[in-house]
Amino acid sequence: MKTRSKIATYIGALGASLLLQSCDLEETVYSSIYTENFYKTAADAEKALIGVYGGIAGVGNAPALTIVADFSDDQTYPRGVVGRNTLTLFTYDVNYTTQKSNDRLFESPQQIWQSCYGGIEKANWLIAKVPDASMDETRKKQIIGEAYFLRAFYHWLLTKNFGEVPVKIAPSYSEEDASVAKSAKADIYKQIYADLEQAESAGLASFPTVAKGRVSREAAFALHAKAALYNEDYPTAIAKAKEVITSGKHALLPNVLDVYRYDNEDAARLENIFAYEVDPISPGLSHQLVGLCGPPGSAGPAYARTSYGSMFAYQSFFDSFNPADKRRQLLDTSYIDKSGKVISQRNITPITPDGVLIKKYMDPVSTVGFIPNIPILRMPDVYLILAEAEARLNGANAAALEAVNVVRKRAGLPDLKAGITKDALVEAILQERAWEFFAEGDRWYDLTRTGKFLTVIPKAVNAVYPVRNVTAKNKYFPIPQDELNANSKIEQNPDWK
């Protein structure tokens, strides 16, 4: 709609001396209220889509996308500052009080909730409005498909963190529309599947023609496979993983170290199906992992221009690797300082003599922002999804062994052999996932979806965190009290009441 600008009213009051006595200025209003003025053109649709991707930026910047899970798991831990150790010690509450008092909500589960529902709301408007836009029909279909993917991704991120959550699939035309009750797990996954099927049929581009940071057709299949694995829907997980593999669009890089090289990002897209894309510019998308993972005092120039020594790997996790495993080279028990001196493990950090440095996010060149992307879906994930789903559904068959051995071979490990039991193979695959995806925000969800967190976490201790009192209620994070206050239709997770 057109609305008369307040500017015209003010000018009229000034009189003819301004020579504008008959001027009637009009402006088009773009806002959450007057949305009928938007989504009309191709440019509108593209801008709206950027807004939908903004949810990933919201969780990727801190990044709550990874550290909420990583600081909870048995692989990595934080220096106990600014409220981060509540995740490791399981001392957070429904208000996320410590994070609030330290101005660190952006690193908390609450950030995941807010960013995901913000992205979902924008996706809902796009899906509802862009079909009527005047633009190329092929590109229109792709834009809507990307929005469907992102809506599925946000719902999946929400349910693996909070359990039963509201499924929101319509725009909020009113405050009442914004309040939606929680859905059962089966209904959440039903919607995730439906959205991903829309994305899969939307004519999305594939690597190498897909734009950097955008959703591809193979990303839709990969997310579908992973969501199905979490849903214990093993036939679907198998079928969707095979869609990615047989497409021939993605493959493992020969050298696992090349996946994380700051100067190899474009070549690594062969393996990285979908990632949180960052830019070494200002303003631009960035994240904290480069600075968190390097040694304190910016002491290791190979790690970062600026680093704080705020995130390390457990010694027990480092020791779990076969020394021949090439992925162990993505961890280190020493570093070279600015003078070229080797700093031994006992001097890496003052908080423990057993600090292990994480090398997946090294960026020695950026002075503004950071270069390394954060992987979200990689080809090893697809192979290990296929392996686990096959093993759980059909036992330790040849297909399961072949899939897991693709990943082991690249790591420099011997094949798992026929004759292994089903249970032993499932355990081996979960361990393979631990070695492959550490510091990528994956392990905690493997532990919670399989129920292993109650036995594994109490053993993942060190001098910094000698006791970790995880309980059954920690399988899911509490729904933020702020959200309960804002939406009377949702209830707190039962274990957190």
Side-chain angles (χ1 to χ4, degrees):
M1 63 179 285
K2 293 284 185 181
T3 184
R4 186 179 171 93
S5 171
K6 289 183 179 179
I7 297 173
T9 303
Y10 298 148
I11 290 174
L14 290 176
S17 62
L18 294 179
L19 304 179
L20 290 170
Q21 61 262 55
S22 63
C23 181
D24 185 19
L25 300 183
E26 290 186 333
E27 66 179 358
T28 301
V29 177
Y30 296 102
S31 73
S32 59
I33 298 173
Y34 298 105
T35 52
E36 61 266 36
N37 288 323
F38 198 52
Y39 308 105
K40 298 296 187 183
T41 67
D44 290 347
E46 296 288 359
K47 291 171 185 175
L49 182 59
I50 291 171
V52 183
Y53 277 95
I56 294 180
V59 293
N61 185 59
L65 178 67
T66 59
I67 63 176
V68 164
D70 288 337
F71 289 167
S72 302
D73 69 20
D74 60 330
Q75 300 174 326
T76 58
Y77 63 93
R79 181 167 55 95
V81 296
V82 292
R84 291 183 180 126
N85 61 0
T86 64
L87 294 162
T88 306
L89 295 173
F90 304 98
T91 56
Y92 43 85
D93 57 36
V94 297
N95 287 297
Y96 296 102
T97 304
T98 303
Q99 284 88 347
K100 283 182 179 178
S101 62
N102 288 281
D103 196 25
R104 289 282 166 170
L105 273 181
F106 59 86
E107 294 181 349
S108 76
Q110 186 161 343
Q111 183 66 53
I112 294 174
W113 183 283
Q114 292 174 344
S115 292
C116 286
Y117 278 114
I120 288 169
E121 183 66 24
K122 293 180 176 68
N124 289 340
W125 280 108
L126 188 154
I127 290 167
K129 295 293 186 178
V130 167
D132 294 329
S134 178
M135 62 179 297
D136 176 77
E137 290 298 319
T138 298
R139 180 56 189 149
K140 178 193 292 184
K141 187 177 180 182
Q142 291 174 337
I143 287 173
I144 297 170
E146 289 179 66
Y148 273 116
F149 172 95
L150 292 166
R151 190 169 75 177
F153 175 76
Y154 295 139
H155 277 120
W156 178 67
L157 191 54
L158 285 161
T159 192
K160 71 177 182 175
N161 279 285
F162 299 100
E164 293 185 351
V165 297
V167 170
K168 185 78 165 59
I169 58 171
S172 297
Y173 289 89
S174 67
E175 184 176 342
E176 183 179 357
D177 292 340
S179 296
V180 179
K182 293 199 295 187
S183 297
K185 177 182 174 182
D187 292 328
I188 298 168
Y189 276 96
K190 182 179 179 180
Q191 187 61 52
I192 291 171
Y193 284 13
D195 282 356
L196 290 172
E197 287 166 2
Q198 291 282 350
E200 291 161 5
S201 62
L204 299 179
S206 298
F207 177 81
T209 60
V210 65
K212 296 177 183 180
R214 292 297 184 93
V215 175
S216 68
R217 185 167 183 265
E218 289 68 41
F221 285 124
L223 181 58
H224 204 154
K226 194 161 187 176
L229 182 71
Y230 277 56
N231 196 31
E232 299 181 0
D233 176 6
Y234 303 125
T236 299
I238 291 168
K240 297 301 179 177
K242 286 182 176 179
E243 289 274 11
V244 182
I245 294 167
T246 58
S247 74
K249 300 297 183 180
H250 292 278
L252 275 64
L253 296 188
N255 185 349
V256 67
L257 303 183
D258 289 342
V259 177
Y260 304 96
R261 277 176 35 206
Y262 75 95
D263 57 353
N264 197 56
E265 185 177 277
D266 286 338
R269 296 180 198 280
L270 178 66
E271 177 166 325
N272 286 329
I273 302 171
F274 186 58
Y276 168 59
E277 191 88 15
V278 301
D279 302 293
I281 59 175
S282 181
L285 299 181
S286 189
H287 60 76
Q288 294 189 89
L289 289 176
V290 173
L292 293 179
C293 293
S298 308
Y303 284 82
R305 293 287 186 94
T306 303
S307 63
Y308 307 100
S310 297
M311 180 175 177
F312 302 95
Y314 288 101
Q315 181 69 44
S316 57
F317 176 60
F318 179 82
D319 292 342
S320 73
F321 284 84
N322 183 324
D325 193 328
K326 297 175 183 177
R327 294 168 297 194
R328 197 175 78 160
Q329 296 176 49
L330 293 165
L331 298 167
D332 214 338
T333 53
S334 65
Y335 71 90
I336 298 174
D337 70 9
K338 295 176 181 178
S339 69
K341 178 182 177 182
V342 175
I343 305 301
S344 63
Q345 183 176 25
R346 65 180 180 273
N347 295 318
I348 284 177
T349 171
I351 67 174
T352 175
D354 299 318
V356 178
L357 290 166
I358 298 162
K359 303 177 75 173
K360 282 190 171 181
Y361 302 102
M362 298 172 72
D363 179 1
V365 300
S366 296
T367 56
V368 177
F370 296 110
I371 291 174
N373 294 336
I374 299 177
I376 296 176
L377 294 167
R378 292 198 286 119
M379 272 304 287
D381 207 355
V382 175
Y383 279 106
L384 293 176
I385 289 166
L386 175 60
E388 184 180 342
E390 278 283 2
R392 290 188 185 277
L393 186 65
N394 301 313
N397 62 9
L401 288 167
E402 180 182 7
V404 67
N405 285 335
V406 169
V407 180
R408 289 178 62 83
K409 192 181 302 294
R410 198 266 295 271
L413 298 178
D415 286 353
L416 298 177
K417 301 297 185 182
I420 188 173
T421 67
K422 172 183 175 178
D423 289 346
L425 179 56
V426 170
E427 286 299 308
I429 293 167
L430 290 172
Q431 181 60 64
E432 205 65 46
R433 294 187 63 86
W435 290 326
E436 183 70 33
F437 303 116
F438 72 86
E440 296 181 33
D442 196 78
R443 172 65 169 174
W444 172 247
Y445 306 116
D446 280 344
L447 294 176
T448 55
R449 70 179 174 87
T450 60
K452 294 168 65 69
F453 69 103
L454 289 173
T455 55
V456 169
I457 295 301
K459 300 174 184 176
V461 294
N462 61 7
V464 184
Y465 299 105
V467 178
R468 300 179 66 200
N469 291 319
V470 66
T471 64
K473 72 177 184 179
N474 298 117
K475 178 176 182 178
Y476 297 117
F477 295 104
I479 295 173
Q481 186 63 46
D482 291 342
E483 304 301 327
L484 298 174
N485 295 341
N487 181 359
S488 61
K489 293 183 179 181
I490 57 175
E491 296 182 357
Q492 184 57 269
N493 289 332
D495 289 341
W496 283 95
K497 288 184 177 180

